[in-house]
Amino acid sequence: MNDHAAPAPLPERHALGSVHAELLDCIQVNLAVLADHHHGPDTHLRLGSALRWHTRPGAHGLPTVDPSLDQRIAEAEQLLGLKASSRTRLTGAELQDVVRARGTTHYVVADAHAMPWLPYHGRRHMDHSFLLAPGPDGFHVADGYRTETPWGHAVPGHWEFGAGDLAGIDTAEVIAWAPTLLDATAPRPAYDGGDPDGYLAAYADHPDRAAALEQLASETWLLARARALHARWRARLSLPVDTEHLRRWDLVVEQSYLAHRRVARGRTEPPGVLDRLAAALAADATAFAAPAPQAAAEPVRREAVADPELREAVAGIAASVLGAPRQHLLDGVEFTAFPTFSSFRLVELIERVERDLDVELDADELIPENLRRVDDLCQIAISPRAAAPAA
């Protein structure tokens, strides 16, 4: 007779591979994991069926399009076949005790600043979701989130942590989800652009430009992901998708982040950021109702500048930042052709050009279309002496 009781089975691990994490925010993404777990792959794409304009008060007295947790819960119940059966606010110690006692997987929302698997750890405060279960030597974390940050990549994954590793979580919202019957009829795409004028004016008129542009960079990221998710749902229903419009939104995100980083460094705010955002919002109605995508815009092309030393220096910096062959860059290959390119790498490239070469890039020309090749940067480079006002 065996006197030793068999160890309790570990909770079922939730697979992350079916989730299109690049389309979801940090609260949605682990609801998506649960929805696909219970109802099958791509169930989570239903979150993109409706694209509606909605704002609420946010940081610095500015409006935000970031939905509240209450809204995300309502969406899960309406679209994903998940019912919130309980919702509890716990301290970090209570959270660990509850997870150990119940022995099941829990959907948790807490401060990303305290999550050691994220690049935000110790750097940025924001609500973030994850799935927490007891592990063989502590706890198992699953998180489907994917994005690039100034501190590195957040990638979907599974991690094992001891109790001390999660001690920085002071409080957490724990939501228990029960699967419900999922409507077999796919929801039809719905679009309501609302009236964003007040939203745009709030960001244009805010006196603290650094705070406004930092928040705007996050806002445009959320807006672009929501539109990409809506487009993916349209494609699933064999409806037309305007890929050029989605590219337009990528440029909005890029320019917003560039403006935020420049102002944060005490440099001149590039013009046109909010104009580009307003134009993209205005174009949503056509893009998401049109029977066919719009024709792609012609890329901006510039003549090569004559200064070979500047070209060589800029190409060297670009090669270092992008991990790309210097000669390809000198031959005019666009930065976007390299898989390492992103908004973060573009900003790093610009900052290094200005710092290492002691030049200032013309703020009036800082739009993404003008920042695609080595010669583009050379064309708008102004020496500090030339940029200084005459005495």
Side-chain angles (χ1 to χ4, degrees):
M1 179 176 178
N2 187 354
D3 294 331
H4 299 285
L10 293 175
E12 183 176 1
R13 298 294 186 239
H14 290 71
L16 309 178
S18 71
V19 172
H20 298 272
E22 74 282 1
L23 306 177
L24 303 165
D25 65 38
C26 57
I27 302 299
Q28 287 176 314
V29 68
N30 291 305
L31 291 174
V33 172
L34 294 175
D36 283 14
H37 176 77
H38 289 295
H39 299 295
D42 286 349
T43 299
H44 68 281
L45 292 179
R46 289 169 168 252
L47 290 170
S49 59
L51 183 62
R52 295 188 172 92
W53 182 257
H54 177 81
T55 65
R56 62 188 179 97
H60 309 293
L62 290 163
T64 180
V65 295
D66 189 13
S68 66
L69 182 56
D70 287 342
Q71 289 174 278
R72 290 303 189 208
I73 291 172
E75 288 176 353
E77 294 185 346
Q78 178 185 1
L79 298 169
L80 298 183
L82 296 174
K83 174 72 174 178
S85 56
S86 69
R87 181 176 173 184
T88 311
R89 171 67 66 174
L90 300 174
T91 67
E94 289 171 338
L95 171 64
Q96 294 190 16
D97 289 343
V98 165
V99 171
R100 287 193 194 96
R102 294 178 181 170
T104 57
T105 299
H106 293 65
Y107 175 88
V108 182
V109 177
D111 188 351
H113 191 271
M115 299 178 187
W117 64 94
L118 293 174
Y120 302 120
H121 182 227
R123 297 185 177 99
R124 183 176 176 186
H125 295 280
M126 57 183 285
D127 283 345
H128 187 89
S129 72
F130 62 100
L131 302 176
L132 183 66
D137 298 307
F139 296 94
H140 179 87
V141 167
D143 187 352
Y145 188 54
R146 181 187 298 278
T147 195
E148 187 176 1
T149 80
W151 311 286
H153 293 277
V155 295
H158 296 265
W159 297 268
E160 302 292 336
F161 293 110
D165 298 319
L166 304 180
I169 298 178
D170 294 328
T171 63
E173 191 101 6
V174 182
I175 303 170
W177 297 95
T180 60
L181 184 64
L182 187 68
D183 189 346
T185 303
R188 297 295 297 173
Y191 167 77
D192 177 6
D195 182 4
D197 288 350
Y199 174 88
L200 294 166
Y203 282 89
D205 298 339
H206 198 277
D208 186 339
R209 299 313 299 157
L213 290 170
E214 180 179 18
Q215 180 65 24
L216 189 66
S218 297
E219 294 290 302
T220 56
W221 182 91
L222 287 165
L223 288 164
R225 285 209 170 190
R227 279 140 186 82
L229 179 61
H230 185 62
R232 186 66 63 90
W233 182 249
R234 288 174 59 90
R236 187 174 175 83
L237 299 183
S238 300
L239 295 173
V241 173
D242 187 341
T243 56
E244 181 60 24
H245 183 62
L246 298 181
R247 175 60 183 153
R248 181 185 293 121
W249 271 102
D250 288 341
L251 295 176
V252 171
V253 176
E254 193 173 304
Q255 188 169 354
S256 300
Y257 181 69
L258 171 62
H260 151 53
R261 287 296 296 264
R262 286 187 65 80
V263 172
R265 292 166 55 226
R267 296 185 181 269
T268 304
E269 179 178 345
V273 176
L274 285 163
D275 291 339
R276 185 186 286 271
L277 173 57
L281 288 168
D284 278 346
T286 301
F288 296 127
Q294 299 173 350
E298 289 295 323
V300 174
R301 297 294 181 193
R302 293 177 173 271
E303 296 298 324
V305 296
D307 185 346
E309 292 186 5
L310 180 60
R311 292 189 77 238
E312 286 284 352
V314 172
I317 293 171
S320 173
V321 171
L322 298 174
R326 178 197 293 257
Q327 190 56 51
H328 289 186
L329 293 160
L330 287 169
D331 290 342
V333 176
E334 293 193 0
F335 304 143
T336 55
F338 302 101
T340 52
F341 177 83
S342 68
S343 303
F344 295 94
R345 300 289 78 77
L346 178 62
V347 168
E348 180 185 351
L349 170 56
I350 290 169
E351 291 177 358
R352 283 190 54 183
V353 165
E354 291 184 319
R355 182 187 68 239
D356 296 354
L357 305 184
D358 193 24
V359 298
E360 178 87 9
L361 299 186
D362 187 348
D364 290 339
E365 297 290 339
L366 285 175
I367 60 174
E369 293 90 340
N370 292 351
L371 305 169
R372 287 295 177 255
R373 300 182 300 150
V374 165
D375 288 324
D376 293 344
L377 300 188
C378 295
Q379 186 87 359
I380 64 174
I382 306 171
S383 70
R385 184 180 300 277

